[in-house]
Amino acid sequence: MKKSNKGFTLLELMIAVAILAIIIVPLLRGFVSSHRVNAKSRHLMRATTLAQNEMEIFEKEKLEDLLVMEETDAAGNKVPRYVVDDTEFETDVDGDKHPVYKFTRSGVINDDSDMNMFDVVVTLEPSASSTGIYEQQNTKDILFMNTVSGMDSATYIQRVRNDINTNGDDEEVYKIYAIRQYPESITGMKWTEDDFAMELERTITLKIEQEDQVGVMTTVAKIRYDYKLDPTQAYKVLPSEYWDYTTKDKIFFNNAQTLDEEGNPIELKSVYLFYAPRYNTINDDKIIIENKDKLPVNVYIIRQNVLDATNKILGVYEDKTLGPQNTVPTQYQAHIEINEGFDADGKTYGRYFTNLNLDLPGVAGAGMPVKLDLYDCDNPGRVFTKDEILEYTGLRALDSTEKKDRIYTMETAVYEHGADPLTSDPLVRLTGTKIE
């Protein structure tokens, strides 16, 4: 059998190329379109992931923390995470204004493999019903601070001994009252428990610090009560061993024992001190806050009033000449001393809040204005005015009857970097609810 070595003719080759071109060109267009679709899908997926991550942060964090939240930039500096705009308000049927918060992050890169940047805008608007009336549970006339909870918060509530809770363990110093309660042989007078309480100067010290525990740096919060017999009072004739009493430091937060779901220590964000005041005409309450390790925490100093059976305010071991009252005694004056360090912006690392009278314009306060002292642990000789203390520490007044929004409608929108949110449509828009 004879083999044929005859090849394709030029015409046949041209026809074959034409047929291939007709088939391949649409396929190439399909590949290009598919690549574009996939790239757009990946871009949209990254934007969606970014929006979901932001929503999780807002659902978890307190509003007060979000307002001051920081992150580290490329140069290693601490910078604000969000630019916050709270100049817009919603007005309810009672005429009360409720701020709308807009948190903006610009130039966010969600994936190291994708250098495309996004802008994120999270809007928190106080929740309203379809009738425009704010939901009943959205505001509370009274903020019960002793209901505060959270694994990233340290809360100390002084147990109160009073006319109602006669078996309560108020302060350790009263454990030795039985030893001191019969000084007739020294003074010739009967010494009552109320006399004992009024003769003591009390200092409450709150320490927020880091400790090396078995090679691991842990954050702890401690409380200590110190008592000194007032040298101006009659019972100074007691033996000198009765003049002073100091409790041991009581640790009420230790993040080596407070772990997240992955087993990592939880960062301490807020410390709440609820103390029982002494309403008497002799001694003030002095409260010292020590944050010498410069930890970024919110510190709340809360005077907790105790009511008797007739709903009268009962100061712990109150001067009996005052008697039960409906309000905090006008002569009551507390003393707050803050020992802190200062950051690069000239502010203390901690932020401070109290329901004591700060004597601020437009803010009602009970009792006399609190005494304030601030000490720079890096510059002990530095002197501060009251206005400087308020500015540097962020010390704010808490009103126990202040209305505060609790429920927010949350919208998270992700835009192309540089897009104008007023005129551009977002890549992703997610909605949800934030409950304070």
Side-chain angles (χ1 to χ4, degrees), residues 55 121-125 409-413 415 426 429-432:
M55 290 193 73
V121 180
V122 181
T123 303
L124 299 181
E125 183 174 352
T409 298
M410 176 169 54
E411 178 187 276
T412 303
Y415 297 86
R429 191 194 305 271
L430 302 179
T431 59

Side-chain angles (χ1 to χ4, degrees), residues 3-15:
K3 294 182 179 179
S4 175
N5 292 325
K6 182 179 180 182
F8 292 105
T9 65
L10 179 60
L11 178 59
E12 290 173 334
L13 186 59
M14 292 177 64
I15 293 173

Side-chain angles (χ1 to χ4, degrees), residues 105-116:
R105 292 181 68 200
S106 299
V108 183
I109 299 175
N110 191 43
D111 192 330
D112 292 338
S113 64
D114 179 18
M115 296 308 293
N116 291 330

Side-chain angles (χ1 to χ4, degrees), residues 151-171:
M151 296 184 67
D152 58 359
S153 298
T155 302
Y156 180 82
I157 302 177
Q158 178 185 327
R159 291 179 292 179
V160 176
R161 181 179 182 180
N162 53 59
D163 288 349
I164 301 172
N165 185 22
T166 55
N167 296 321
D169 181 11
D170 175 33
E171 299 161 3

Side-chain angles (χ1 to χ4, degrees), residues 47-116:
T48 303
T49 301
L50 177 60
Q52 291 172 338
N53 291 342
E54 290 296 321
M55 290 193 73
E56 289 179 1
I57 291 174
F58 274 74
E59 289 170 352
K60 181 180 69 172
E61 300 292 341
K62 300 180 181 70
L63 178 59
E64 65 202 28
D65 293 332
L66 291 166
L67 293 172
V68 296
M69 186 173 286
E70 296 180 330
E71 60 185 358
T72 305
D73 63 13
N77 300 315
K78 289 285 188 179
V79 296
R81 181 181 176 90
Y82 302 102
V83 176
V84 183
D85 180 1
D86 59 356
T87 58
E88 182 181 344
F89 293 88
E90 292 285 348
T91 304
D92 63 20
V93 293
D94 296 324
D96 294 329
K97 292 185 176 181
H98 302 254
V100 176
Y101 296 92
K102 291 188 177 180
F103 296 78
T104 302
R105 292 181 68 200
S106 299
V108 183
I109 299 175
N110 191 43
D111 192 330
D112 292 338
S113 64
D114 179 18
M115 296 308 293
N116 291 330

